[in-house]
Amino acid sequence: MTACRLEPCIKLPLSEEKLRESVDKAKDWTLMHGISKRSMKNYSKDQVQLLPFTLIPSSFPQKPFLIVKNVQVLLNQLIHKVAYDKEFLTNSLKSTIQTDSFTAKLFRIYETVYEEGFSQNISLGLLRSDYLLHDDCKIKQVEINTIAASFAALATITSQYHKYILGELGYTKEANERIPENNAIIGFCEGLVRAWELYNNTEAIILFIVEDVTYNISDQRFHEFQIRQLCPKIKIIRRSLTSLTLEEVKLGPNKELIVANMIVAVVYYRSGYELEAYPTEKEWDIRLLIERSRAIKCPSVQYHLAGTKKVQQSLAQSSVLKKFLKDETSVARVQEIFTGLYTLDFNEDGEKAIEMGISKPNKFVLKPQREGGGNNIYNENIKTWLSSMRDSQERTAWILMDRIYPPLQKNYLIRAVEDPSLEDNFDLLEVITELGVYGVIIGDSNNIIVNKQVGHILRTKASSEDEGGIVAGVGALDSPYLIS
Ligand code: ADP
Ligand code: MG
């Protein structure tokens, strides 16, 4: 069922000797430049370990790469308009919030601040739209992330690493020509700094909302370091929703968000998209308090909702894009990157989708309203799930999506050695790659102030894996090597 193959950018396999030498250099370069995380097995604040990465950049056709790089500003605009359209969000999520309690809680917060009137009209979006190649040269969107879109920093470093290693292997010229410029970290941090400036209080700080224990520490810290370089005035603090108490977080007389006696200009969520971030009602109360405040949120709750799979599915209906994108060319350009997405609501379309999924499970992916990987259902399991849910309200919390079968290629995946009996941990594998494009958007209900495409990432996994989290150790950081 898989489409065709892509050739690797250099001849593989490498000789045993060349491979050993390259892997040694590669591990030292990447570790010393921050392609790392905290160990899950042996957590220590004194140590980081390698994140998985590919030895060489993976081949990626130039045409679809440019198509999605260029469409990013339209997607930014689309998400922004959707987020500021109460009627559309409400209609899209109406059935989902009856069964999905997480989305329902977010929606409740949204309705509350909407009814009270927003204290802050501006939203900051740091987005990442993810894609798989399909049938060789077409490219299709997997999803768009509006909260905690990760790896802008490590993607930038990975592009630099791949230039280095191709140079080591004797391909400096090709590396310079074929590995596109990537400054995602600067783009994201300029977005955060711009939002901080718009808040217009030089004493105010940026608050990162993080997990209780952060494994993906390097990517997050590089954002802090970059902001310090771009604007030395800005102080950054990190807190988890669980660690914040209602005594520590307050609203000031003009709805300023005050944390540890400092006014917060921008709240940047690197957590909060997952159930685990809200173990008790208190964390939801804190989220509501933050939304009520004058701080600029990345994302605001309406941006968070605009990034749900259910909204993605609503947008894929052909008539809908016309409402948000004025000219036909823009509609066609966005339509081109969408694949089939189907509602499972109790209506004619929903019944049709249930039938399709049960009769041809290999052609689809079944998705709940969750983020962070590992939640989707594939293959024969789709049959089982759809059959058991078909008469239950539960099904409206899910969507069905056409399965994309990307081309295979070969690459070496390198990982930290966690098993002491192993000397090294790398394999030449059949892999598939997922491209992410980063976008920055700042605006309010009337104006868009900033709208940019700022960089990209490739995430690569063995073709045998359905899903591949990088921090979980399945996927690997990669960068595209453009081929014609
Ligand atoms: P999450 O929000 O959990 O990241 P995604 O929609 O990105 O959810 O799905 C997770 C992974 O599942 C993707 O990175 C991709 O590898 C795979 N996947 C998702 N949708 C599809 C699809 N339509 N076809 C093939 N693989 C998919
Ligand atoms: Mg994803």
Side-chain angles (χ1 to χ4, degrees):
M1 189 99 63
T2 304
C4 68
R5 307 189 55 85
L6 295 171
E7 288 308 312
C9 65
I10 61 173
K11 199 164 174 300
L12 297 183
L14 296 175
S15 72
E16 189 63 28
E17 192 192 337
K18 191 126 220 137
L19 181 61
R20 286 257 154 232
E21 189 193 342
S22 306
V23 169
D24 268 358
K25 286 189 181 183
K27 283 183 150 188
D28 285 345
W29 195 102
T30 49
L31 198 53
M32 291 174 194
H33 288 78
I35 300 197
S36 58
K37 64 165 185 179
R38 292 233 206 277
S39 166
M40 290 176 178
K41 277 194 184 153
N42 302 302
Y43 182 88
S44 158
K45 283 196 174 176
D46 295 341
Q47 282 171 7
V48 286
Q49 75 172 192
L50 269 185
L51 270 175
F53 65 98
T54 59
L55 179 66
I56 58 171
S58 289
S59 295
F60 203 95
Q62 178 163 25
K63 204 172 138 203
F65 177 79
L66 293 177
I67 287 178
V68 293
K69 289 282 267 190
N70 291 329
V71 87
Q72 186 61 39
V73 292
L74 287 177
L75 295 179
N76 292 345
Q77 186 191 331
L78 181 62
I79 288 291
H80 184 81
K81 292 201 168 159
V82 166
Y84 282 84
D85 190 324
K86 172 108 189 311
E87 195 189 339
F88 182 76
L89 283 181
T90 306
N91 286 335
S92 298
L93 294 169
K94 198 164 42 199
S95 58
T96 300
I97 59 176
Q98 287 174 30
T99 33
D100 186 277
S101 61
F102 186 78
T103 313
K105 285 209 137 119
L106 291 173
F107 197 80
R108 186 86 42 77
I109 291 179
Y110 171 56
E111 278 191 313
T112 305
V113 285
Y114 187 92
E115 276 154 25
E116 289 174 2
F118 291 99
S119 307
Q120 178 56 261
N121 243 318
I122 296 174
S123 292
L124 165 62
L126 300 180
L127 314 180
R128 194 189 69 220
S129 180
D130 291 336
Y131 303 92
L132 289 169
L133 287 169
H134 182 57
D135 276 354
D136 215 2
C137 252
K138 282 192 226 86
I139 188 158
K140 295 293 174 188
Q141 186 184 56
V142 171
E143 63 156 346
I144 189 157
N145 299 282
T146 60
I147 179 163
S150 60
F151 294 128
L154 299 193
T156 307
I157 300 170
T158 304
S159 294
Q160 291 159 5
Y161 157 69
H162 280 142
K163 282 195 179 163
Y164 161 78
I165 201 69
L166 284 192
E168 284 294 317
L169 290 163
Y171 300 92
T172 304
K173 183 167 167 283
E174 290 84 346
N176 287 335
E177 285 171 8
R178 305 295 188 105
I179 298 178
E181 167 137 355
N182 192 11
N183 266 320
I185 183 63
I186 305 243
F188 263 25
C189 291
E190 281 178 350
L192 285 157
V193 169
R194 189 69 216 283
W196 178 85
E197 288 167 354
L198 286 164
Y199 191 84
N200 202 20
N201 175 348
T202 54
E203 298 300 310
I205 64 164
I206 297 182
L207 167 66
F208 282 30
I209 298 287
V210 298
E211 307 98 316
D212 284 319
V213 179
T214 302
Y215 296 108
N216 192 17
I217 190 70
S218 309
D219 188 58
Q220 293 184 16
R221 285 288 190 203
F222 279 125
H223 287 70
E224 291 188 49
F225 306 158
Q226 188 66 58
I227 291 169
R228 168 74 57 216
Q229 276 199 333
L230 289 171
C231 186
K233 267 205 185 84
I234 303 176
K235 181 180 169 68
I236 293 170
I237 64 169
R238 296 165 61 85
R239 293 286 191 281
S240 68
L241 288 172
T242 51
S243 74
L244 286 169
T245 61
L246 287 161
E247 287 77 52
E248 198 190 9
V249 192
K250 293 192 185 69
L251 289 189
N254 293 312
K255 300 270 179 78
E256 300 90 341
L257 180 65
I258 301 172
V259 175
N261 298 317
M262 292 173 284
I263 294 181
V264 177
V266 179
V267 181
Y268 176 39
Y269 286 95
R270 288 297 298 246
S271 171
Y273 55 84
E274 70 286 35
L275 276 173
E276 298 73 32
Y278 307 85
T280 67
E281 281 304 307
K282 187 217 76 182
E283 287 74 29
W284 287 107
D285 292 343
I286 301 262
R287 178 87 193 249
L288 173 61
L289 196 93
I290 293 174
E291 290 304 323
R292 277 181 166 145
S293 79
R294 260 188 63 199
I296 296 174
K297 274 76 69 182
C298 177
S300 57
V301 70
Q302 65 268 33
Y303 259 64
H304 190 167
L305 290 169
T308 53
K309 309 262 181 327
K310 186 65 195 177
V311 167
Q312 181 189 9
Q313 181 260 307
S314 304
L315 285 170
Q317 290 159 300
S318 56
S319 56
V320 175
L321 283 179
K322 293 194 182 88
K323 175 176 155 70
F324 295 107
L325 300 169
K326 288 292 168 269
D327 63 290
E328 274 178 30
T329 324
S330 303
V331 172
R333 283 172 62 203
V334 172
Q335 198 95 63
E336 189 190 349
I337 58 148
F338 283 176
T339 186
L341 289 134
Y342 312 95
T343 178
L344 294 175
D345 285 358
F346 285 96
N347 56 31
E348 205 182 311
D349 290 344
E351 297 309 323
K352 244 199 256 165
I354 297 260
E355 289 307 326
M356 282 188 331
I358 289 176
S359 64
K360 293 195 170 125
N362 294 347
K363 284 192 162 315
F364 301 97
V365 179
L366 181 62
K367 297 188 175 189
Q369 309 305 306
R370 288 285 167 275
E371 303 292 330
N375 304 302
N376 301 338
I377 309 289
Y378 299 87
N379 301 323
E380 288 300 305
N381 289 336
I382 294 183
K383 234 187 215 172
T384 323
W385 278 73
L386 286 181
S387 308
S388 71
M389 286 195 298
R390 87 185 294 167
D391 298 322
S392 142
Q393 187 69 31
E394 158 81 9
R395 73 186 225 191
T396 61
W398 298 71
I399 60 154
L400 196 68
M401 179 176 188
D402 284 342
R403 180 153 186 181
I404 311 164
Y405 279 95
L408 299 177
Q409 62 184 301
K410 283 198 158 49
N411 205 333
Y412 290 97
L413 255 56
I414 302 178
R415 292 193 184 86
V417 179
E418 292 206 80
D419 175 353
S421 69
L422 282 181
E423 195 182 314
D424 233 320
N425 191 0
F426 58 88
D427 284 307
L428 182 58
L429 295 174
E430 291 284 358
V431 300
I432 58 172
T433 68
E434 183 166 341
L435 177 69
V437 177
Y438 293 101
V440 176
I441 180 147
I442 306 178
D444 59 23
S445 44
N446 299 316
N447 295 303
I448 289 177
I449 304 163
V450 173
N451 182 3
K452 286 183 179 168
Q453 176 277 118
V454 297
H456 56 269
I457 183 175
L458 214 56
R459 289 172 304 154
T460 293
K461 64 185 180 188
S463 60
S464 53
E465 303 281 351
D466 284 328
E467 293 190 30
I470 288 173
V471 178
V474 181
L477 289 159
D478 193 355
S479 53
Y481 180 95
L482 298 182
I483 56 172
S484 46

